[in-house]
Amino acid sequence: MDFHKFDRAFYIYVVFQYCYSKFQNFGVMKATLKYLAGIAGPSGYGSKTTAEQATKDFSNSSNSQLTAIITGATSGIGAETARVLAKRGVRIVLPARDLKKAEILKEFIQKETPMAQIILLEIDLSSFASIQRFSAEFLSLQLPLHILINNAGKFSQKLEFSEDKIEMTFATNYLGHFLLTELLLEKMVETAEGCGIEGRIVNVTSVVHNWVKRDQFRFSQLLNPKKYYNGTRAYAQSKLANILHAKELSRQLKARNANVTINAVHPGIVKTGIIRDHKGFITDSLYFMASKLLKSTSQGAASTCYVALSPQTEGMSGKYFADCNESHSSVLANDEIEAHKLWKGTRVLIHRRFLPHVNS
C-alpha cells in the first residue's frame, strides 16, 4: 500500500492501527519480532527483502520471452515493480492515465536497463470504456501475455463517482481490475498453452481488508453507498474484493485446467515523508514502532515481484502473500460462497449493464 496520495489523517490512523494489531496480545509478539528483525520465512525471504533481492536468481535470458502488464506503475510500488521486472528481462506494458509520467518512468528504467522493452498505452481504470479500448489496443499488438499485475490503487476521502456512476474507489481498485482481467484472461490462457509457461495474475491488496465486517460488505452498497460515506472503509472493502476475486477466479481456472494462476499480495505499508512530518504530533515510542513497521518502496514491491517470477510459487493459486511468504487473510476473505457471490454479481453488472455485446 503506497500512501503518497492518501490524506494525512488516514495515513496516521492506518499506522497506529497496524502497530496496534502487531502488539495487541502476546500471541502475535513472536511474529511481530520476526517481522521487525526481517527474519526470513519458508521462502527464504522476509519483511526486509527488497524486490531486487527477491528476484536476484532469475536470469535475464529465462525471462526475455515474458510479457507483463502492470497497472498503477507510474509511481510508488508499481514503478519499482516495473523497474525490477524490466531489469530481469521482462517486456513491460504500462497502462497509464498520465502518459507523460509513464514516459518519464520509461526513460528512467531504460537509463538503468538500456535493452528494456517498455510499451506505453493509455487507460483510466475507473472507466469501463477506457479499459475496453486499452484491452483492444493491447490485443491488436499480438503480443503474448504471461503476467498481469493488478497494482493500481485509489483512495477517495470524499464520495466520488466514476463516469459509469459507481463509487470511485470500488470502481478503480476492484471493478476496473476485474474487467481488465476478464478481457485479457483468454489471451493469458492461450499464451500459457502455446509456450508452456505458467501465466500469473497478481492482485495487490492490503492488510486493511481485515477491517471489513460481513454486514458492511453488500454489493449494491459498494457500488453506491447510501449511508454516510467513509473513505477508509471503502478502500478496505475494495481490497477485500481483490482477494475474493483471486479466490474465485483461481477456483474457476483450476476447474478448466488452465495453466494460469492468480494470487493476492499485501505489499506492506510503505514509508513516506508524511510520518516524519508528524513526529512532533506522535509520541516517540509510537514513532519508533511505526518507523520500524513501515517499508521502503523496494521492500513493498518485493512480494509482488516474488509471486510474479519465483519458481517457488509455481502452481500456487488462490493464495494470500505477505513479506514474500504465504500468509493468512481474514475469515471473510476465505469465504468461498462470498467469493462466488461477488464474482457473479460483478459479472452480471459488467456484462449486462455496461457491456451487453461482450459474451457472458
Side-chain angles (χ1 to χ4, degrees):
M1 188 191 324
D2 187 347
F3 288 91
H4 281 291
K5 297 181 180 178
F6 287 14
D7 71 292
R8 295 181 176 184
F10 174 67
Y11 182 90
I12 296 171
Y13 175 70
V14 170
V15 171
F16 285 176
Q17 287 288 326
Y18 197 59
C19 289
Y20 175 74
S21 71
K22 289 288 183 181
F23 289 93
Q24 61 182 320
N25 59 64
F26 181 78
V28 298
M29 188 60 71
K30 183 177 179 180
T32 301
L33 293 174
K34 184 177 180 180
Y35 175 92
L36 292 172
I39 298 173
S43 69
Y45 303 113
S47 63
K48 303 302 181 185
T49 300
T50 66
E52 288 202 34
Q53 290 169 339
T55 59
K56 62 181 173 57
D57 294 329
F58 310 144
S59 68
N60 288 7
S61 59
S62 62
N63 293 326
S64 61
Q65 56 189 316
L66 301 182
T67 299
I69 293 176
I70 308 170
T71 68
T74 55
S75 64
I77 293 170
E80 178 66 2
T81 300
R83 183 189 73 82
V84 172
L85 262 60
K87 189 172 183 177
R88 301 307 179 214
V90 179
R91 179 195 290 120
I92 305 296
V93 178
L94 294 183
R97 187 170 54 180
D98 189 333
L99 290 177
K100 290 183 179 179
K101 286 186 178 179
E103 185 62 43
I104 291 171
L105 176 63
K106 177 179 178 179
E107 292 175 2
F108 173 77
I109 292 175
Q110 290 182 329
K111 185 175 181 180
E112 179 186 25
T113 309
M115 299 300 291
Q117 297 183 58
I118 301 175
I119 298 168
L120 309 182
L121 297 175
E122 189 173 11
I123 196 173
D124 177 353
L125 274 167
S126 71
S127 164
F128 289 164
S130 178
I131 295 167
Q132 281 187 283
R133 286 193 295 270
F134 164 82
S135 299
E137 189 172 1
F138 171 76
L139 293 173
S140 72
L141 299 176
Q142 298 186 333
L143 293 172
L145 181 58
H146 306 87
I147 301 168
L148 172 61
I149 299 178
N150 293 319
N151 167 81
K154 170 76 175 178
F155 174 83
S156 296
Q157 184 177 3
K158 297 179 181 179
L159 180 58
E160 299 178 78
F161 290 94
S162 69
E163 66 179 40
D164 300 308
K165 297 180 172 51
I166 297 171
E167 190 278 314
M168 186 65 79
T169 299
F170 194 68
T172 305
N173 295 358
Y174 169 66
L175 288 176
H177 284 130
F178 183 100
L179 177 58
L180 181 65
T181 303
E182 284 276 293
L183 295 175
L184 298 178
L185 186 60
E186 292 311 311
K187 167 57 71 173
M188 295 196 71
V189 172
E190 175 189 305
T191 299
E193 288 178 349
C195 68
I197 299 174
E198 179 182 85
R200 300 190 184 190
I201 304 169
V202 181
N203 284 358
V204 178
T205 181
S206 170
V207 70
V208 301
H209 80 272
N210 283 284
W211 301 353
V212 181
K213 294 178 172 32
R214 191 175 295 273
D215 61 2
Q216 298 174 338
F217 199 72
R218 295 192 178 95
F219 191 62
S220 61
Q221 292 182 11
L222 297 174
L223 299 174
N224 187 357
K226 295 179 180 179
K227 296 182 179 179
Y228 172 73
Y229 175 77
N230 182 288
T232 304
R233 182 172 58 216
Y235 182 81
Q237 289 167 333
S238 72
K239 291 303 178 180
L240 171 61
N242 290 148
I243 301 176
L244 291 170
H245 176 215
K247 297 283 185 180
E248 174 61 20
L249 186 53
S250 172
R251 184 190 66 77
Q252 294 182 19
L253 289 167
K254 289 176 182 176
R256 61 186 285 192
N257 293 317
N259 190 22
V260 176
T261 64
I262 178 169
N263 292 289
V265 167
H266 165 51
I269 302 177
V270 176
K271 192 179 300 182
T272 72
I274 296 176
I275 193 70
R276 292 190 299 272
D277 294 341
H278 287 75
K279 186 175 181 181
F281 174 75
I282 305 169
T283 65
D284 289 341
S285 58
L286 281 175
Y287 174 78
F288 174 78
M289 288 190 292
S291 65
K292 295 301 180 184
L293 286 165
L294 299 179
K295 290 185 174 185
S296 68
T297 302
S298 189
Q299 290 169 343
S303 292
T304 301
C305 293
Y306 172 76
V307 173
L309 289 183
S310 176
Q312 295 183 58
T313 59
E314 185 172 357
M316 298 181 71
S317 192
K319 307 298 184 182
Y320 173 76
F321 288 83
D323 303 327
C324 298
N325 288 277
E326 185 180 348
S327 188
H328 299 287
S329 53
S330 70
V331 172
L332 185 54
N334 284 287
D335 189 321
E336 293 183 2
I337 295 175
E338 195 69 45
H340 182 71
K341 184 170 68 173
L342 176 65
W343 179 86
K344 186 176 180 180
T346 305
R347 194 171 173 86
V348 167
L349 171 75
I350 290 175
H351 289 262
R352 293 185 183 175
R353 182 177 171 186
F354 295 105
L355 306 175
H357 58 287
V358 177
N359 295 328
S360 57

